[in-house]
């Protein structure tokens, strides 16, 4: 069976990862709540929320590690004539190298969990952005995401179905948790025929461990939510969205 990677998925990522109205609501609300004008979205993938960032913020910088994903975003910028969004190819681990005067960095959909906790710790010591917004998930606490179901451990299940050019595509997920990491495998079927598969890994972040890192950094935790509707963290299994503010910054 054909093996594909993150870069290959760029050709259909906009169909596979559709917009979430809750995220759209959250992006608008935090712009107002925190008075954010200039924001970095990393990793941005194919730019699913490009329109929202353009509408809600004066300037946005979309960052991803993959050339093809960045190309997808650039094509949308040209097609829809977005004047206030730019792109940059960069690894999350090197965000501290940026010299942009941005108000905030936001990492949607567990984007931070591609890197080790030690690498996050290094980021917090070197970043000087006023705000960090981190969408994280503890996969050991139960709960569900669009690509994760705690009730389906080590078994394939249908997690996504979409259509491209009159072709019906079904994605089946499987995951295992081992040694602090979550190993995912996707298998894709086109018109019920198995065509390709991909694998990726995420680090599991417990709230307790990441909070310990924050306490030793130049940032302070000012809010924690259980989802994109600002629910209380304790009422939601596994999911937690952190709002960090740089210590001593003048807002």
């Amino acid at each position: 069976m054909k093996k594909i990677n993150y870069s290959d998925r760029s050709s259909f990522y906009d169909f596979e990862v559709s917009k979430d109205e809750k995220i759209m609501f959250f992006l608008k609300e935090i712009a107002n709540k925190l008075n954010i004008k200039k924001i970095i979205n990393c990793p941005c993938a194919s730019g699913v929320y490009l329109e929202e960032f353009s509408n809600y913020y004066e300037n946005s910088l979309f960052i991803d590690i993959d050339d093809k994903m960045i190309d997808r975003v650039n094509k949308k910028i040209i097609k829809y004539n977005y004047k206030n969004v730019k792109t940059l190819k960069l690894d999350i681990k090197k965000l501290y190298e940026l010299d942009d005067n941005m108000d905030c960095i936001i990492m949607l959909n567990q984007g931070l969990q591609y890197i080790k906790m030690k690498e996050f710790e290094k980021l917090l010591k070197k970043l000087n952005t006023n705000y960090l917004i981190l969408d994280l998930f503890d996969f050991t606490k139960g709960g569900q995401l669009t690509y994760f179901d705690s009730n389906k451990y080590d078994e394939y299940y249908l997690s996504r179905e979409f259509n491209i050019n009159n072709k019906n595509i079904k994605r089946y997920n499987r995951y295992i948790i081992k040694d602090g990491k979550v190993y995912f495998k996707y298998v894709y079927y086109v018109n019920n025929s198995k065509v390709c598969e991909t694998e990726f890994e995420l680090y599991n972040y417990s709230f307790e461990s990441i909070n310990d890192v924050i306490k030793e950094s130049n940032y302070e935790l000012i809010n924690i939510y259980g989802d994109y509707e600002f629910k209380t963290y304790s009422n939601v299994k596994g999911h937690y969205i952190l709002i960090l503010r740089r210590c001593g910054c003048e807002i």
Side-chain angles (χ1 to χ4, degrees):
M1 189 190 310
K2 181 181 178 182
K3 299 275 189 178
I4 63 172
N5 57 26
Y6 177 60
S7 187
D8 296 323
R9 288 171 64 199
S10 67
S11 64
F12 57 86
Y13 200 86
D14 285 338
F15 299 91
E16 183 179 8
V17 183
S18 56
K19 287 187 180 183
D20 184 331
E21 290 187 0
K22 294 177 182 179
I23 292 180
M24 295 163 66
F25 167 77
F26 183 84
L27 291 172
K28 185 175 182 179
E29 287 296 301
I30 58 128
N32 297 325
K33 288 177 180 290
L34 302 179
N35 192 31
I36 296 171
K37 306 295 184 183
K38 297 175 289 184
I39 191 167
I40 292 170
N41 177 26
C42 176
C44 65
S46 64
V48 175
Y49 297 98
L50 181 59
E51 179 182 3
E52 286 69 32
F53 277 88
S54 180
N55 288 339
Y56 302 152
Y57 307 98
E58 291 182 3
N59 291 286
S60 299
L61 179 61
F62 274 43
I63 295 176
D64 202 273
I65 196 172
D66 185 74
D67 282 319
K68 289 185 180 179
M69 289 293 188
I70 290 294
D71 286 344
R72 289 281 169 181
V73 180
N74 283 330
K75 287 177 181 177
K76 292 179 188 177
I77 290 174
I78 294 170
K79 180 179 180 179
Y80 297 106
N81 196 31
Y82 294 127
K83 300 294 186 182
N84 60 346
V85 184
K86 295 182 179 180
T87 62
L88 178 68
K89 180 188 174 184
L90 189 69
D91 193 317
I92 293 176
K93 297 191 292 290
K94 297 183 179 180
L95 280 174
Y96 61 83
E97 295 180 358
L98 290 173
D99 195 28
D100 293 86
N101 183 27
M102 306 298 273
D103 301 323
C104 178
I105 298 173
I106 187 168
M107 299 183 185
L108 300 170
N109 297 322
Q110 300 78 56
L112 181 65
Q113 290 177 242
Y114 284 101
I115 69 174
K116 298 177 182 178
M117 188 73 73
K118 284 290 185 182
E119 293 165 335
F120 172 62
E121 185 176 355
K122 182 178 179 180
L123 270 180
L124 280 190
K125 290 179 179 178
K126 293 192 173 187
L127 286 172
N128 58 12
T129 307
N130 286 342
Y131 289 104
L132 294 178
I133 301 175
L134 310 174
D135 173 4
L136 304 171
F137 196 86
D138 186 340
F139 294 92
T140 68
K141 298 292 187 182
Q144 294 181 331
L145 295 167
T146 57
Y147 61 95
F148 173 81
D149 186 336
S150 60
N151 296 315
K152 305 289 187 180
Y153 186 76
D154 200 16
E155 64 177 90
Y156 283 106
Y157 67 96
L158 178 64
S159 63
R160 188 80 172 94
E161 187 170 0
F162 52 99
N163 288 280
I164 303 176
N165 299 326
N166 296 319
K167 293 181 179 179
N168 176 259
I169 301 174
K170 294 180 179 179
R171 186 189 74 191
Y172 287 83
N173 286 33
R174 183 183 180 185
Y175 73 91
I176 61 170
I177 302 173
K178 182 180 179 181
D179 300 328
K181 297 178 77 172
V182 191
Y183 298 84
F184 290 92
K185 186 173 184 178
Y186 292 175
V187 178
Y188 297 88
Y189 289 76
V190 176
N191 296 333
N192 294 319
S193 295
K194 191 183 297 186
V195 293
C196 59
E197 63 182 36
T198 191
E199 298 178 356
F200 65 96
E201 305 166 4
L202 294 176
Y203 288 91
N204 194 62
Y205 283 5
S206 70
F207 170 72
E208 292 76 17
S209 61
I210 202 166
N211 194 37
D212 287 342
V213 171
I214 293 168
K215 288 177 180 178
E216 298 299 320
S217 74
N218 295 322
Y219 283 83
E220 58 181 337
L221 176 60
I222 61 170
N223 273 309
I224 175 171
Y225 302 109
D227 67 2
Y228 286 113
E229 294 180 300
F230 301 97
K231 289 182 181 177
T232 304
Y233 165 61
S234 59
N235 293 336
V236 180
K237 289 184 177 180
H239 202 181
Y240 59 106
I241 299 170
L242 306 182
I243 312 291
L244 309 185
R245 182 172 60 199
R246 183 169 55 86
C247 298
C249 70
E250 297 182 4
I251 306 301

